Amino acid sequence: MKCFVWSLFLYASETWTLNKNTEKRIEAMEMWIFRRMQKISWKEKVTNKKVLESVGLQRPELLLTIQRRKIKYYGHLRRHDSIQKRILEGKIDRRRGRGRRRQTWLGNTQETSQMKMCEVCETALDRRRWRTVTAHLGSGMTPS
């Protein structure tokens, strides 16, 4: 599954802007794959927790993998001077449109790292510190 399905699914996932609906759909897709692997029908009323136990996992991994890739990619962009970095940090002067602001990739990265934007920008420049941030992403611990 990781060789064939995940490699196709994760292609360019570093550039996605994730919202709650997308995150739910990603986890649902992962659970659907696990159920298909175990040949568990939806009629059997088996909980996700039981399916994860039968696969040998504590929680779904796909969303965490995407978040780690995004954080690593952001660190790469911050450390290198490239066109992507200029685009990412650029501002467009114009009037803001009506309605709720759209979720941005940078805002999504900040939310994933659970740090303020100024801390994220500063930490990403130091590769060693940034690797500890990405390593502790799913554990619930905040690196010092």
Side-chain angles (χ1 to χ4, degrees):
M1 177 186 80
K2 287 187 179 181
C3 178
F4 295 113
V5 178
W6 279 28
S7 61
L8 288 173
F9 184 77
L10 292 175
Y11 182 76
S13 63
E14 300 89 6
T15 60
W16 298 350
T17 301
L18 299 174
N19 56 26
K20 296 295 177 192
N21 187 30
T22 310
E23 289 176 1
K24 282 174 54 178
R25 292 182 77 168
I26 289 170
E27 286 190 359
M29 193 258 331
E30 185 177 10
M31 292 306 300
W32 179 80
I33 290 172
F34 289 150
R35 286 175 187 274
R36 295 288 295 183
M37 285 175 35
Q38 299 293 317
K39 296 182 180 172
I40 300 172
S41 172
W42 62 273
K43 295 176 187 176
E44 293 179 32
K45 306 284 189 205
V46 179
T47 63
N48 286 345
K49 192 173 184 177
K50 297 270 187 194
V51 173
L52 288 172
E53 286 175 6
S54 67
V55 176
L57 296 173
Q58 293 179 348
R59 61 186 176 143
E61 294 179 341
L62 193 57
L63 187 60
L64 186 63
T65 303
I66 292 170
Q67 290 173 340
R68 278 200 178 118
R69 282 182 167 205
K70 284 180 67 162
I71 294 292
K72 286 180 181 180
Y73 184 61
Y74 178 71
H76 175 76
L77 287 178
R78 284 291 297 163
R79 287 188 297 275
H80 295 82
D81 190 27
S82 64
I83 186 89
Q84 292 100 335
K85 180 180 178 181
R86 291 187 201 148
I87 291 170
L88 193 65
E89 294 175 346
K91 284 257 187 203
I92 299 173
D93 293 327
R94 63 178 179 152
R95 272 189 70 195
R96 193 170 88 71
R98 291 175 46 178
R100 183 189 303 181
R101 287 189 177 178
R102 295 189 69 177
Q103 194 169 12
T104 63
W105 189 84
L106 270 179
N108 201 232
T109 306
Q110 176 190 358
E111 183 182 314
T112 302
S113 66
Q114 299 174 344
M115 299 165 66
K116 294 180 182 175
M117 199 62 207
C118 58
E119 291 178 57
V120 172
C121 292
E122 184 181 317
T123 307
L125 293 174
D126 183 8
R127 178 176 274 161
R128 197 175 74 233
R129 282 178 52 201
W130 195 245
R131 283 186 177 166
T132 60
V133 169
T134 58
H136 296 294
L137 189 60
S139 64
M141 297 172 33
T142 53
S144 53

